[in-house]
Amino acid sequence: MRLVDEYRDPALAHALATAVVRRATRRWTVMEVCGGQTHAIVEHGLDQLVAPAVELLHGPGCPVCVTPLETLDRAASIAEEAGAIVCSFGDMLRVPGSRGDLFAARARGGDVRVVATPLDAARLAERIAPQPVVFLAVGFETTAPAAAAAARWALARGLANFFLLVAHVRVPPALEAIAAAPDARVHAFLAAGHVCTVMGTAEYESIAARHRVPIVATGFEPVDILEGLALAVAQLEDGAARVENQYRRAVRPEGNPAARALVDEVFAVADRPWRGIGLVPRGGLVLRDRYRALDAEQAFPACAAREPAREPEACRAADVLRGALRPPACPAFGRGCTPEHPLGAPMVSPEGACAAYFRWRGAEEAP
Ligand code: SF4
């Protein structure tokens, strides 16, 4: 198949779904890890097509949703108290922190701006030097290369007023944390295809073997997802647990070596908190010593959280992000929490699971 329409062919999708249902001798639990896949699943009703054979759990694959509250609070504080211009992607600015989102920080006088890329923020810093500019660097393996490129660009120019507030996270360790949890009920994972285009699939091998869990790198169109499910269910039925690649048109086992080398030059692997999951060993990135001058946490130490940040009590985002709660089962879904008035990040982000249900199924499934 070469054209996108072919990956949305309803007849092929129905045939694949039927094959998945026929192959299964019991009901399996499969988690898709990417918010983009969650939206495709809910939009096209793929969960309903395979329901007799597969219970789909939505994982923590929304980069905005897993960024800790403390990081947002720190970004707001840097904008409001340290006089720096804080930049990030548009949806990041709408995620609630302890004192509202970053647009609220702007309303209180902080200079907060939307940029399309980290390099745009670095260029802004060069234009308006010496005023400090901080890029709130969030996201998975897919966005880390662009942040790394901006850091290298800034260092090469000797910019002294550009900083990164690093909140990048790595998907495989989080997936391992979910598989290893005492209450784990995931039989197989669909790994996000775009993350695998950068990092490859090799890192998943040991996780699949250690936890006896099939992991299938999968694309984002309905036919991709159903093919990924078919591969996962076939492994489960055969008692296998290996890494497979459904998204062969984009993913190589070694990933993108140039992007990986760039990330490795700028960042080191470190333990990182994920919103909803907690501290994930080796679950994120920090700047290497050579780039430490660009670290916003070191440049603005007074802007660290003074007390632990608290999620809104009514928001069950932590359960949603672990796949423990379907968004419509949240008591606030469609009532106190809507995209216009979100209580939590999964309702804000275009990749959030709560937003997916609200957008494609409305409040019809609300409790
Ligand atoms: S529906 Fe809203 S309140 Fe409930 S978990 Fe999702 S974001 Fe939080």
Side-chain angles (χ1 to χ4, degrees):
M1 292 193 290
R2 286 174 296 117
L3 303 173
V4 74
D5 284 352
E6 297 169 77
Y7 293 96
R8 296 176 185 167
D9 178 359
L12 181 52
H14 276 92
L16 282 164
T18 303
V20 168
V21 173
R22 284 210 183 117
R23 184 78 166 84
T25 55
R26 53 162 287 184
R27 196 161 189 245
W28 299 103
T29 302
V30 180
M31 175 179 276
E32 89 280 356
V33 183
C34 168
Q37 290 170 336
T38 304
H39 274 254
I41 287 165
V42 180
E43 177 185 359
H44 298 286
L46 307 183
D47 52 336
Q48 293 157 335
L49 283 178
V50 298
V54 176
E55 180 189 357
L56 275 162
L57 300 181
H58 314 308
C62 159
V64 166
C65 305
V66 299
T67 302
L69 210 59
E70 287 84 357
T71 305
L72 289 159
D73 290 350
R74 191 192 285 259
S77 169
I78 289 172
E80 290 179 72
E81 294 161 29
I85 297 174
V86 171
C87 307
S88 198
F89 306 124
D91 48 354
M92 198 64 234
L93 305 193
R94 291 194 58 225
V95 176
S98 297
R99 297 188 300 131
D101 60 20
L102 285 167
F103 283 120
R106 181 156 84 184
R108 291 192 296 266
D111 194 339
V112 176
R113 304 188 191 183
V114 175
V115 290
T117 70
L119 194 55
D120 290 344
R123 289 200 169 111
L124 172 67
E126 188 179 47
R127 265 201 320 277
I128 64 164
Q131 187 176 3
V133 174
V134 175
F135 179 72
L136 172 51
V138 300
F140 302 125
E141 286 83 346
T142 39
T143 53
R152 189 156 76 173
W153 189 89
L155 196 73
R157 276 164 178 71
L159 283 189
N161 65 325
F162 177 65
F163 306 94
L164 293 167
L165 181 54
V166 179
H168 283 298
V169 286
R170 302 172 63 243
V171 173
L175 211 137
E176 171 141 40
I178 290 171
D183 58 349
R185 49 189 295 263
V186 179
H187 297 124
F189 290 101
L190 302 186
H194 54 3
V195 167
C196 296
T197 59
V198 176
M199 58 161 267
T201 54
E203 202 171 341
Y204 285 129
E205 302 280 354
S206 61
I207 299 173
R210 204 162 34 247
H211 298 285
R212 295 292 308 152
V213 60
I215 301 175
V216 182
T218 303
F220 305 92
E221 298 297 339
V223 166
D224 288 320
I225 292 167
L226 289 165
E227 279 183 2
L229 282 173
L231 291 169
V233 167
Q235 282 200 53
L236 290 166
E237 289 291 333
D238 291 344
R242 59 179 183 274
V243 175
E244 277 188 281
N245 182 9
Q246 180 279 329
Y247 202 37
R248 286 185 299 279
R249 63 189 185 279
V251 172
R252 305 276 171 274
E254 69 279 15
N256 180 331
R260 292 177 61 189
L262 179 57
V263 169
D264 194 45
E265 176 194 317
V266 175
F267 295 114
V269 171
D271 300 349
R272 269 234 173 252
W274 284 52
R275 199 170 183 171
I277 296 182
L279 189 74
V280 176
R282 298 177 56 78
L285 300 174
V286 292
L287 287 161
R288 287 193 185 277
D289 286 346
R290 187 169 164 230
Y291 287 87
R292 200 49 65 78
L294 276 64
D295 188 348
E297 290 191 32
Q298 305 230 343
F300 306 100
C303 296
R306 288 165 198 99
E307 52 198 53
R310 287 238 179 108
E311 304 280 352
E313 230 163 71
C315 180
R316 302 278 304 277
D319 294 331
V320 168
L321 291 167
R322 288 186 300 121
L325 182 81
R326 285 179 73 249
C330 169
F333 178 85
R335 296 178 176 164
C337 182
T338 63
E340 287 72 37
H341 301 286
L343 285 182
M347 188 60 95
V348 174
S349 166
E351 292 188 58
C354 302
Y357 277 84
F358 196 91
R359 176 170 184 197
W360 300 112
R361 301 208 180 144
E364 71 197 38
E365 289 192 55

